[in-house]
């Protein structure tokens, strides 16, 4: 099945920020990466942690990040089969960005709650 990601390669000015956002931009990818990093690494755990995401959207986001080599999908030969996700070595290079987003969000949330 061909991946129909919109604008994945759209970067007419070869902008590094656009390139980064093409990889991890959007509403869900940074959250999914953050949760997997915190050992929320199974599909059902992710769905419970992000109740507003549809099952299909979760599947799409995980597949895109797997295709982009940000995540690795590990299938355990058990009955029933167990699948876990982990951040790849390449994906780990994005963690400082996710950390910065988290730090900024915490500070802004505190400021907003005053």
């Amino acid at each position: 099945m061909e991946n129909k990601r919109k604008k994945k390669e759209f970067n007419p000015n070869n902008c590094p920020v656009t390139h980064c956002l093409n990889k991890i931009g959007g509403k869900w990818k940074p959250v999914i990466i953050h949760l997997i990093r915190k050992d929320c690494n199974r599909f059902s755990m992710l769905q419970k942690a992000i109740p507003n995401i549809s099952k299909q959207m979760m599947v799409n986001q995980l597949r895109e990040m797997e295709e982009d080599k940000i995540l690795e999908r590990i299938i355990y030969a058990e009955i029933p089969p167990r699948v876990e996700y982990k951040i790849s070595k390449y994906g780990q290079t994005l963690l400082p960005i996710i950390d910065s987003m988290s730090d900024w969000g915490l500070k802004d949330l505190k400021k907003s709650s005053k």
Side-chain angles (χ1 to χ4, degrees):
M1 183 167 80
E2 185 181 318
N3 192 339
K4 304 248 187 217
R5 262 198 276 186
K6 294 178 184 173
K7 303 176 188 162
K8 177 189 179 243
E9 301 301 327
F10 182 75
N11 191 355
N13 299 319
N14 211 24
C15 171
V17 174
T18 301
H19 178 75
C20 181
L21 289 174
N22 284 341
K23 297 282 186 182
I24 63 161
K27 187 174 184 178
W28 305 115
K29 286 181 182 177
V31 176
I32 292 169
I33 292 168
H34 179 71
L35 288 169
I36 290 173
R37 179 188 197 186
K38 302 288 184 191
D39 290 329
C40 184
N41 59 357
R42 296 182 70 184
F43 190 89
S44 60
M45 295 168 82
L46 289 165
Q47 277 206 299
K48 284 177 188 163
I50 315 171
N52 295 336
I53 191 171
S54 71
K55 183 177 179 179
Q56 189 59 54
M57 180 59 78
M58 179 77 77
V59 167
N60 291 345
Q61 300 295 282
L62 290 167
R63 283 184 183 157
E64 287 177 13
M65 288 191 286
E66 187 181 357
E67 180 184 296
D68 287 338
K69 310 283 189 249
I70 293 168
L71 298 180
E72 294 174 8
R73 186 171 182 253
I74 305 154
I75 304 168
Y76 294 91
E78 300 173 351
I79 307 240
R82 178 170 51 113
V83 175
E84 291 183 357
Y85 294 91
K86 77 173 209 170
I87 299 171
S88 68
K89 190 169 185 167
Y90 171 67
Q92 289 175 12
T93 64
L94 294 165
L95 295 180
I97 296 166
I98 303 298
D99 288 343
S100 292
M101 292 169 76
S102 178
D103 291 346
W104 184 90
L106 284 170
K107 288 175 189 165
D108 199 60
L109 282 168
K110 286 178 185 173
K111 186 170 56 171
S112 298
S113 67
K114 288 183 182 179

